[in-house]
């Protein structure tokens, strides 16, 4: 009965986990002075990709994705734009850390800003959903951000 919601749950959880971890690590990170500095951006990229696959599964058809991306005012296209920007920053950091061994702090800060933007846009997309009265409350946006940050703290703790 709730099978149609599972891809949306996968997107929200996995992409939020990647964004939360990236935002937390941009502020509280250790600069990745560890031997495998590429591990954190790789894990974040994998989680973001799993989440975006959930978005594609939620839409059901590739043409719906193209239609959604053509409407910049819709919540799902704004989530996609921010997720693509976050993915690009993560790939840049992954390449830099893979080749040089240490991540660039400016790239991490830019990724943290993009990750926060992604979390805000995701919370607003759920808040604007007229079909779910429970999501229209004032606590929706802060809970989305705090939930993603809490997931991110957990991932950062595991990878440290």
């Amino acid at each position: 009965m709730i099978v149609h919601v599972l891809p949306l749950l996968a997107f929200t959880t996995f992409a939020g986990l990647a964004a939360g971890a990236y935002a937390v690590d941009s502020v509280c990170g250790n600069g990745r002075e560890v031997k495998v500095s590429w591990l954190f951006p790789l894990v974040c990229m994998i989680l973001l990709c799993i989440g975006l696959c959930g978005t594609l599964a939620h839409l059901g058809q590739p043409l719906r994705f193209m239609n959604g991306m053509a409407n910049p005012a819709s919540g799902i296209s704004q989530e996609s734009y921010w997720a693509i920007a976050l993915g690009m920053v993560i790939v840049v950091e992954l390449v830099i850390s893979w080749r040089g061994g240490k991540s660039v702090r400016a790239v991490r800060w830019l990724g943290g800003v993009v990750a926060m933007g992604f979390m805000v846009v995701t919370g607003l997309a759920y808040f604007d959903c007229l079909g779910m009265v429970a999501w229209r409350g004032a606590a929706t946006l802060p809970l989305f951000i705090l939930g993603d940050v809490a997931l991110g703290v957990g991932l950062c703790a595991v990878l440290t």
Side-chain angles (χ1 to χ4, degrees), residues 126-147:
Y126 278 88
F127 178 78
D128 289 340
C129 185
L130 299 176
M132 300 298 278
V133 178
W135 293 347
R136 298 286 302 167
T140 299
L141 184 61
L143 287 177
F144 254 91
I145 294 171
L146 289 175

Side-chain angles (χ1 to χ4, degrees), residues 30-88:
N30 60 3
R32 299 286 152 219
E33 287 94 10
V34 293
K35 291 181 182 177
V36 286
S37 61
W38 50 265
L39 182 63
F40 180 77
L42 179 66
V43 169
C44 286
M45 193 67 210
I46 290 170
L47 291 169
L48 186 63
C49 288
I50 292 170
L52 288 174
C53 287
T55 298
L56 291 175
H58 172 67
L59 292 173
Q61 297 176 5
L63 291 177
R64 286 185 185 160
F65 177 75
M66 297 305 290
N67 188 26
M69 291 295 286
N71 182 9
S74 72
I76 198 159
S77 61
Q78 290 177 7
E79 288 174 336
S80 297
Y81 296 150
W82 282 92
I84 290 168
L86 179 61
M88 289 172 30

Side-chain angles (χ1 to χ4, degrees), residues 81-137:
Y81 296 150
W82 282 92
I84 290 168
L86 179 61
M88 289 172 30
V89 172
I90 293 173
V91 165
V92 166
E93 184 186 354
L94 181 61
V95 169
I96 289 171
S97 63
W98 186 277
R99 292 186 168 235
K102 185 177 180 184
S103 62
V104 177
R105 204 72 191 143
V107 174
R108 182 63 59 88
W109 276 97
L110 176 65
V113 170
V114 173
M116 284 301 298
F118 174 75
M119 289 186 280
V120 168
V121 165
T122 302
L124 288 174
Y126 278 88
F127 178 78
D128 289 340
C129 185
L130 299 176
M132 300 298 278
V133 178
W135 293 347
R136 298 286 302 167

